[in-house]
Amino acid sequence: WEKHQNIDGMEKIKKIPVAFFGVMLGMAALGNLLQSYSEGIRCLFGGIAVLILVLLIAKGIFFLDAVKQELATPVGLGVFATFPMALMLLAVYVKPFLPALSLPLWVFAILLHVGIILFFTGKYVLSFEEKNVHSVWYIVYVGIVVASLTSPAFQAAAFGQVAFYFGFVALLVLLFVVTRRYLRLPVPEPAKPLMMIYAAPMALCTAGYIQAFPEKSKGFLLFLLLATTLLYLFALVKSVQMLRLPFYPSYAAFTFPFVISAIATKQSAVVLAGMGAGLPFLPAIVLVETGIAALFTIYAFLRFVHFIFIKK
């Protein structure tokens, strides 16, 4: 019986998709979004993110070949970039408890993300084929802006600014490249939910800009917020269609993009109010976006749990 249980448990670990890293990132970010309501809620979602990390590390240890197989596709490798993004956020989580660990963890996460950018560029950009382009390219090249978002915790604003500029320029290029691909080529059904990622890069740049730059331009911030809102609305409209699809690991795209959009709007509302340019309707929008982000993230997490641990 015990042996059977162990085999069953190992099969469940083998079943965990690499895309679960995206949910880990969404959970860590959701904790930050909800921190103003309760520190306990932040710790709860941070704890879930750590639990997901432990499960994925177990898969990497026991089923390395299966992980390599998933990373051998542009979508799999692109989604894997959510791993260092999540580690950057978790480095800030652990800072009050393990200050000696937090900075090395943050630096390791940044180096890992840079490594993914270099490897991805060598494999999929230098040997460019449009069919390999997906919205996960935003994760690879704009995801490094999480370093901007977390840079104040490590007194590294200058590096945060460099990461912002890199991510923002990459975003401007990718908006053309990725959108052209979606207009010209069909998207396989399992990859369709990845369209939700459109909500993430501009929102991440908005939040990264706010955190990494002590002096902010009101005009540029309003431009970022407007662009963030338009891309958010596009993803939100698409989400209605995507939720009708059966479960795929790409459901992870329902998490971080909506959370970071809510964070960007929330931080923008505070900064603009401080500049004397507060928009009276923003606090209500923040509440709505926060509710949507929490619902989507928890829903996606539960769908993954059902797929991994319950579905036969």
Side-chain angles (χ1 to χ4, degrees):
W1 167 251
E2 236 175 83
K3 189 177 177 183
H4 174 74
Q5 288 291 92
N6 287 339
I7 291 168
D8 192 44
M10 294 306 282
E11 282 302 311
K12 284 177 168 48
I13 288 172
K14 187 178 182 179
K15 208 174 165 188
I16 299 170
V18 167
F20 210 21
F21 276 126
V23 182
M24 172 186 161
L25 172 62
M27 284 289 177
L30 183 61
N32 288 336
L33 173 62
L34 299 177
Q35 185 178 14
S36 57
Y37 300 101
S38 162
E39 188 63 42
I41 289 175
R42 178 177 184 255
C43 290
L44 170 66
F45 286 113
I48 293 171
V50 171
L51 183 61
I52 294 171
L53 174 61
V54 170
L55 289 171
L56 283 159
I57 287 172
K59 175 163 180 172
I61 291 169
F62 296 110
F63 302 102
L64 186 57
D65 287 343
V67 173
K68 284 179 181 174
Q69 204 174 335
E70 283 189 69
L71 299 186
T73 67
V75 170
L77 185 57
V79 168
F80 181 63
T82 55
F83 172 42
M85 291 168 70
L87 285 185
M88 287 181 231
L89 293 183
L90 290 177
V92 180
Y93 269 86
V94 302
K95 194 181 176 196
F97 313 104
L98 298 163
L101 175 67
S102 61
L103 180 60
L105 181 61
W106 189 68
V107 172
F108 167 75
I110 290 168
L111 292 174
L112 178 58
H113 201 113
V114 170
I116 292 169
I117 289 172
L118 294 173
F119 183 77
F120 195 95
T121 303
K123 191 162 185 182
Y124 297 112
V125 178
L126 298 182
S127 307
F128 184 81
E129 288 184 67
E130 195 165 43
K131 66 176 185 179
N132 288 331
V133 176
H134 287 276
S135 54
V136 296
W137 286 42
Y138 293 128
I139 301 172
V140 175
Y141 294 100
V142 189
I144 194 70
V145 179
V146 175
S148 312
L149 194 64
T150 51
S151 60
F154 303 100
Q155 291 78 51
F159 179 78
Q161 290 165 15
V162 171
F164 167 81
Y165 284 124
F166 176 87
F168 186 64
V169 171
L171 168 56
L172 297 179
V173 174
L174 287 174
L175 274 172
F176 170 73
V177 174
V178 177
T179 304
R180 189 179 72 164
R181 179 259 184 265
Y182 278 119
L183 291 173
R184 284 159 51 116
L185 297 174
V187 181
E189 186 176 280
K192 281 184 176 178
L194 295 173
M195 292 283 282
M196 303 299 96
I197 294 172
Y198 262 88
M202 193 64 77
L204 180 56
C205 285
T206 304
Y209 175 71
I210 288 169
Q211 291 299 320
F213 291 82
E215 298 296 319
K216 296 172 236 311
S217 159
K218 183 170 73 177
F220 186 52
L221 180 55
L222 284 168
F223 160 75
L224 288 173
L225 179 60
L226 176 62
T228 293
T229 305
L230 291 173
L231 287 167
Y232 173 81
L233 289 171
F234 167 75
L236 192 60
V237 169
K238 281 283 181 187
S239 72
V240 178
Q241 182 186 338
M242 300 307 159
L243 284 167
R244 293 177 185 150
L245 296 173
F247 174 81
Y248 295 108
S250 54
Y251 259 56
F254 280 102
T255 61
F256 183 71
F258 292 99
V259 177
I260 194 62
S261 294
I263 288 171
T265 307
K266 188 175 188 177
Q267 292 182 349
S268 297
V270 172
V271 172
L272 288 169
M275 290 176 165
L279 302 171
F281 52 84
L282 271 188
I285 291 174
V286 169
L287 275 177
V288 172
E289 288 190 9
T290 300
I292 290 170
L295 282 172
F296 275 174
T297 302
I298 293 166
Y299 175 71
F301 172 71
L302 293 174
R303 291 300 300 265
F304 269 85
V305 168
H306 179 267
F307 170 75
I308 296 163
F309 298 105
I310 298 168
K311 188 179 177 185
K312 296 296 180 187

